[in-house]
Amino acid sequence: MSDNPEISVFNMPPEWAPHARTWMMWPRRGEVWDDIRATQKNYTSVAHEIRDFEPVSMVVHPEDRAQAHSMLGSDIELLEHPIDDSWARDAGPCFLTNEAGERAGVCFEFNAWGQKYTPFDGDNSAAAAILEAAGVPAVHSDLIAEGGGVSVDGEGTILSTESCFPNANRNPDWSRDDIEQELLRKLGAKKLIWLPGNAEETETDGHVDGISVFVGSGAAIIQDPGPSHHHWHDIHAANIEAIEHQTDAQGREIRLFRLPDASEIQVDGADICDSYVNSYICNGAVIMPQYGIRQDGLVREILQEALSGREVISVPIWDIAIGGGGIHCITQQEPLGQRDAIK
């Protein structure tokens, strides 16, 4: 395969397609976390649960290599890169495949969710470093975008939110139509469904992976509005209204599985990720957040129905959630290629 793949023959496979590995990034930006060592322990737990099903590679700042190795052990591969932060879903590449099993990867521009944190140049170059380490050619885009802002079904459909990529803090010179066409071109899709998103969620400006994501052909999970007094009830209701009765690129009406959120864990002044939608599908399993509340069990049952045949594993993530993200935010799947085999 050449270093400049013909992008039109590639598409981003769905998360439930077979993975070669999962990529993660070791926590580093201390200002994000209450206790960064506790956060690193949560990351370690997530990495080891995924490692039971597929290889895991962790990108680490060179200064953190020894510490990361001591906590992760020898079964998690480390890749050194001068990263700034720890959200592999957003700073990592969006991997693509074609019918021949060849792979490519899209490197979107990354500006820390609208320059909310600085510096971010190390994270902006992380996607290219991951692709180089994986031996996968890179395709570059001038669009400022994050992997958490899209969900794909691998059959031509993308979900995204109007509160995110069209935000002036990312792409002030791009129209919504321009953004849509770039996403369709780069990710190999035919239809983009825009949800309103959540402009009140100030960490990511309403990433779709905390609202609604595909979990199968013609199927998606979505955040339920909850009771009328819920602080984001109307926002969640608007997102459901926007996707209800929508058809995907194949003409199928999308079946929705509604998940409650974990809003009862909210702490005044803290921007906590309370979304069970922000779970991660790996080979043979679904890794979901465990908040230690009654909704944990209900969500497990819904995910077992929506993703039948996969083991549903709950992992405590309080010290990740406190930074505004969840399990999906800290992971990025690398699909199997022509010569890959799971080890």
Side-chain angles (χ1 to χ4, degrees):
M1 180 189 228
S2 71
D3 290 336
N4 296 296
E6 175 51 54
I7 191 67
S8 63
V9 301
F10 285 81
N11 76 306
M12 184 175 179
E15 197 168 308
W16 57 88
H19 299 179
R21 72 179 56 248
T22 292
W23 288 91
M24 299 177 66
M25 292 165 62
W26 190 245
R28 177 168 177 79
R29 199 187 296 279
E31 68 190 90
V32 176
W33 316 107
D34 285 2
D35 180 346
I36 194 167
R37 181 53 66 93
T39 298
Q40 290 165 343
K41 289 179 180 178
N42 274 186
Y43 268 67
T44 298
S45 296
V46 172
H48 284 151
E49 291 292 356
I50 297 171
R51 185 62 186 89
D52 286 342
F53 298 89
E54 62 188 70
V56 177
S57 291
M58 186 77 66
V59 185
V60 300
H61 193 285
E63 294 176 357
D64 300 331
R65 182 185 181 95
Q67 185 235 9
H69 178 72
S70 70
M71 294 184 71
L72 292 165
S74 58
D75 61 338
I76 307 295
E77 181 183 73
L78 303 183
L79 171 66
E80 290 188 22
H81 187 74
I83 55 175
D84 309 296
D85 213 335
S86 48
W87 307 99
R89 177 64 48 179
D90 295 344
C94 291
F95 284 90
L96 312 173
T97 60
N98 66 11
E99 291 184 357
E102 297 173 309
R103 297 183 298 177
V106 181
C107 299
F108 292 107
E109 290 296 310
F110 178 77
N111 75 344
W113 313 277
Q115 301 188 45
K116 293 184 175 75
Y117 301 93
T118 57
F120 52 79
D121 55 311
D123 284 354
N124 192 33
S125 59
I130 289 170
L131 292 173
E132 182 179 4
V136 174
V139 176
H140 293 275
S141 172
D142 292 331
L143 183 70
I144 295 174
E146 306 95 36
V150 294
S151 178
V152 303
D153 66 357
E155 298 179 356
T157 320
I158 301 174
L159 292 178
S160 194
T161 60
E162 302 208 33
S163 59
C164 190
F165 301 156
N167 192 310
N169 65 12
R170 287 172 174 78
N171 299 291
D173 299 325
W174 293 63
S175 68
R176 195 190 79 163
D177 184 62
D178 290 337
I179 293 169
E180 177 172 327
Q181 292 307 311
E182 178 71 354
L183 291 172
L184 293 174
R185 281 192 300 268
K186 289 297 191 289
L187 301 182
K190 299 176 181 177
K191 180 174 183 177
L192 195 154
I193 299 172
W194 289 102
L195 306 183
N198 185 354
E200 294 184 18
E201 188 274 289
T202 56
E203 281 295 308
T204 70
D205 303 300
H207 269 180
V208 78
D209 70 353
I211 295 170
S212 182
V213 298
F214 286 114
V215 292
S217 296
I221 53 177
I222 194 164
Q223 191 94 322
D224 189 78
S228 59
H229 64 268
H230 187 291
H231 62 296
W232 284 342
H233 174 276
D234 292 347
I235 290 170
H236 295 330
N239 283 303
I240 291 175
E241 183 179 2
I243 195 174
E244 275 187 320
H245 310 303
Q246 286 268 10
T247 56
D248 62 18
Q250 304 299 316
R252 298 170 297 214
E253 186 168 318
I254 299 169
R255 182 186 181 193
L256 296 177
F257 295 87
R258 297 190 183 195
L259 299 185
D261 63 19
S263 58
E264 67 182 64
I265 67 169
Q266 288 292 333
V267 176
D268 289 343
D271 193 1
I272 297 172
C273 177
D274 62 6
S275 173
Y276 288 105
V277 173
N278 204 279
S279 299
Y280 179 59
I281 304 170
C282 63
N283 292 338
V286 186
I287 314 298
M288 63 164 280
Q290 181 186 111
Y291 296 105
I293 57 177
R294 57 189 177 85
Q295 285 94 336
D296 288 350
L298 174 59
V299 170
R300 171 186 286 273
E301 293 175 2
I302 297 171
L303 290 178
Q304 284 174 333
E305 179 186 359
L307 288 148
S308 60
R310 293 179 186 268
E311 186 175 352
V312 181
I313 297 173
S314 301
V315 184
I317 66 156
W318 174 261
D319 292 293
I320 297 172
I322 199 74
I327 294 172
H328 198 258
C329 297
I330 67 171
T331 52
Q332 179 61 267
Q333 67 275 5
E334 177 188 336
L336 279 174
Q338 194 172 25
R339 294 175 293 277
D340 290 326
I342 295 296
K343 297 178 180 179

